Amino acid sequence: MQQTPEKLEIIRPDDFHVHFRDSSMLAAVVPETARHFARAIVMPNLVPPVVSVAQALDYRQRIVSHCDEGFEPLMTLYLTETTTVDELQKAADVDEIKAVKLYPAGATTNSASGVTDVKRVMPLLESMARSGLTLCVHGEVTDPDVDIFDREAVFIDRILEPVRRELPELRIVMEHITTSDGVDFVRSGSANLAATVTPHHLILNRNDLLVGGIRPHYYCLPIVKREKHRVALRKAVTSGDCRFFLGTDSAPHTTETKEAACGCAGVFNASNTMACLAQVFEEEGALQNLEAFCSLNGADFYRLPHNTERLVLQKATKPVSFPSTLAVAGDSEQTVTVFDPGMDIYWTVVDHT
Ligand code: DOR
Ligand code: ZN
């Protein structure tokens, strides 16, 4: 990494958690990710979900038709209670597939086909522990008696800690952690346990979501938490600890479906993630660790080579602005609202090679 006061050059980053959807939305959002990122772990929560190797490879083809060769989608399978050990073995043998995603049934967008009881998939997780295929986990319980702000901490106690104890060889990424409980859990684990963190959970707390009016574009799952958790996340990612790496959880929904009486969960941040992160790391006095978080730690966990291309960010003297919406291809009416960090951002991506 090279750094001058106004310019920062890092190895081209990867996004280890992104939602691309399909059809016209796919066409609109893939170029936004491919512009700055070399690779991305693509979530499988389509309708219907991506449950087989064949479906994942088909989906991969649809993704690459919207970007040039410089971008590599890394595919995932959606774990269901009817997934077979055979299919998981096939996935482990296919280079294009890097992980399997566990959604607790009902936890989030398109999770209806997810897992109702982790005991039902233990033989599958055992096979993954043997093959080395990574398990990506949406870490929230769905028990209606558990408060939405406690669902991550309860998931760790009830589900993740027992799984980790029973299958220490299983490689687990706790996706989009949002609490100090998540940070502590990952820190207490072995090298087989890591976590992704989103830019928005480093920037927002629950006051930003709810005080002075509800901000539907800040509604995502897991929901943003109280300030002490945001502080803990910032400390974890800026520390350089190799178990924390970037997963944007960029999750496009149309502006219309976000600004609704029952709005969808998801923040679309693919367009300005790198600028926001440079700002966060600068605020924390840790620009020297931005490259580890965005370009090294995740690649190392997934045993991927480091990217050879580079990304250059420049610091402006005045706050920069970003387009506030992205048009959905083929539909002049529909837009996706781009994440507004609600703070001044001075950084822009000026170049990548
Ligand atoms: O906010 C979210 N949106 N969280 C998720 O877990 C899923 C995602 C989506 O697919 O919209
Ligand atoms: Zn997600």
Side-chain angles (χ1 to χ4, degrees), residues 191 194-195 239-245 292 296-298 300-301:
S239 70
D241 186 325
C242 64
R243 289 166 297 184
F244 300 98
F245 47 86
L296 304 176
N297 297 348
D300 291 344
F301 184 86

Side-chain angles (χ1 to χ4, degrees), residues 17 19 21 45 101 103 107-110 138 140 176 200 219-222 249 251-253 264-267:
H17 183 134
H19 298 267
R21 318 299 188 202
N45 61 335
K101 178 73 185 275
Y103 289 102
T108 187
T109 310
N110 302 336
H138 182 109
E140 289 190 287
H176 41 53
H200 43 286
Y219 174 60
C220 62
L221 291 169
D249 199 19
H253 295 272
C264 296
V267 170

Side-chain angles (χ1 to χ4, degrees), residues 3-135:
Q3 189 186 333
T4 60
E6 307 85 23
K7 216 170 160 196
L8 184 60
E9 186 178 325
I10 61 172
I11 291 175
R12 198 164 168 213
D14 300 312
D15 179 355
F16 284 95
H17 183 134
V18 73
H19 298 267
F20 282 153
R21 318 299 188 202
D22 222 335
S23 309
S24 56
M25 186 64 93
L26 178 75
V29 300
V30 166
E32 294 301 293
T33 291
R35 184 168 300 136
H36 297 161
F37 297 95
R39 299 172 292 207
I41 289 268
V42 182
M43 289 297 129
N45 61 335
L46 304 184
V47 189
V50 178
V51 293
S52 70
V53 169
Q55 286 172 329
L57 295 181
D58 278 355
Y59 185 32
R60 185 179 186 281
Q61 277 313 112
R62 299 200 293 282
I63 296 167
V64 297
S65 74
H66 295 294
C67 55
D68 61 32
E69 279 173 12
F71 176 72
E72 191 186 353
L74 310 171
M75 307 310 292
T76 59
L77 292 194
Y78 189 119
L79 190 73
T80 75
E81 290 171 6
T82 55
T83 301
T84 62
V85 168
D86 258 19
E87 199 64 27
L88 293 183
Q89 192 51 54
K90 247 201 271 172
D93 294 338
V94 170
D95 201 39
E96 289 89 342
I97 299 178
K98 298 296 182 202
V100 172
K101 178 73 185 275
L102 188 162
Y103 289 102
T108 187
T109 310
N110 302 336
S111 61
S113 314
V115 173
T116 59
D117 182 347
V118 80
K119 287 192 192 78
R120 298 191 177 172
V121 294
M122 280 312 277
L124 300 175
L125 302 190
E126 280 161 24
S127 82
M128 290 172 62
R130 285 193 299 275
S131 69
L133 197 54
T134 295
L135 180 73

Side-chain angles (χ1 to χ4, degrees), residues 160-346:
L160 216 42
E161 174 58 24
V163 167
R164 172 176 74 160
R165 239 183 293 122
E166 204 166 323
L167 296 173
E169 298 305 314
L170 181 62
R171 301 178 62 70
I172 301 176
V173 180
M174 194 179 173
E175 297 296 332
H176 41 53
I177 57 167
T178 61
T179 59
S180 60
D181 311 80
V183 169
D184 293 344
F185 177 66
V186 169
R187 282 215 180 104
S188 72
S190 73
N192 287 341
L193 177 66
T196 56
V197 183
T198 77
H200 43 286
H201 289 101
L202 295 171
I203 291 173
L204 306 174
N205 65 26
R206 65 194 202 179
N207 279 10
D208 298 312
L209 172 70
L210 295 168
V211 172
I214 190 161
R215 309 293 197 303
H217 297 291
Y218 289 168
Y219 174 60
C220 62
L221 291 169
I223 199 159
V224 292
K225 305 296 192 300
R226 56 170 71 237
E227 177 63 3
K228 71 168 187 185
H229 296 295
R230 188 183 72 100
V231 169
L233 293 172
R234 279 193 170 216
K235 205 161 161 230
V237 304
T238 56
S239 70
D241 186 325
C242 64
R243 289 166 297 184
F244 300 98
F245 47 86
L246 174 62
T248 64
D249 199 19
S250 185
H253 295 272
T254 61
T255 301
E256 200 176 1
T257 56
K258 293 284 297 168
E259 296 175 3
C262 183
C264 296
V267 170
F268 176 70
N269 57 25
S271 316
N272 57 4
T273 280
M274 291 311 300
C276 291
L277 287 176
Q279 196 65 44
V280 167
F281 276 67
E282 186 184 27
E283 280 179 11
E284 298 297 322
L287 275 175
Q288 73 283 1
N289 287 335
L290 181 68
E291 185 177 57
F293 179 63
C294 302
S295 316
L296 304 176
N297 297 348
D300 291 344
F301 184 86
Y302 277 95
R303 297 172 175 150
L304 299 168
H306 294 165
N307 296 315
T308 50
E309 307 87 355
R310 307 187 71 80
L311 188 85
V312 181
L313 293 123
Q314 181 110 37
K315 190 176 176 193
T317 50
K318 289 192 191 128
V320 291
S321 57
F322 305 94
S324 58
T325 58
L326 176 75
V328 178
D331 190 335
S332 56
E333 299 288 297
Q334 298 287 358
T335 65
V336 176
T337 297
V338 177
F339 175 52
D340 172 3
M343 65 182 198
D344 287 344
I345 304 287
Y346 289 85

